[in-house]
Amino acid sequence: MPTIDAMLKMSFYVSLVLIVPGPTNTLLLSAGLKAGIRDTWRLVGAEAAGYVVAISIWGFFLLSLVAGNSWMLSAIKVLSAGFIFFLALKMWTQGPKLRELSSGPVSTRDLFLATLTNPKALLFASTLFPLTAFGSASQFACTIGVFLLVLLPI
């Protein structure tokens, strides 16, 4: 079982990453401004489900990938950081074009898919979650539970 100290540390870093603007945060903010907080609570559930699925897929994939090649985890972390940097550059350069698009209400499906494809999930699975969390059901449940407790208020 992960220690309290490890879970608090993970919670801090997860909260820092979750606060950083990205596609999921933008959709939630947009929905909240258009519909109000009461009508957007279902979207928080879609975000939570999207992250749990994506983190699970990445985590179990990474666990099996690094089983014989421990250097692969470091390489994946570097590639993940590079990809997130690339996406940030793309968003900065195409930001003015996005303002011209008209947007309708955000659906739970839209938010789930945006979260499922959010590169933050790879960052969580490869860096912020302990790799041992994907090796045992009890550690996985504990780690995901802590993650969800941090996610809800953010």
Side-chain angles (χ1 to χ4, degrees), residues 111-123:
L111 194 71
F112 176 78
L113 290 175
T115 306
L116 191 63
T117 59
N118 192 333
K120 288 180 184 179
L122 175 57
L123 181 67

Side-chain angles (χ1 to χ4, degrees), residues 1-3 7 10 60 63 129-147:
M1 199 57 96
T3 66
M7 290 292 99
M10 185 195 89
F60 292 115
L63 183 66
F129 278 45
L131 197 57
T132 56
F134 302 103
S136 120
S138 63
Q139 286 190 19
F140 180 74
C142 179
T143 305
I144 285 292
V146 169
F147 173 80

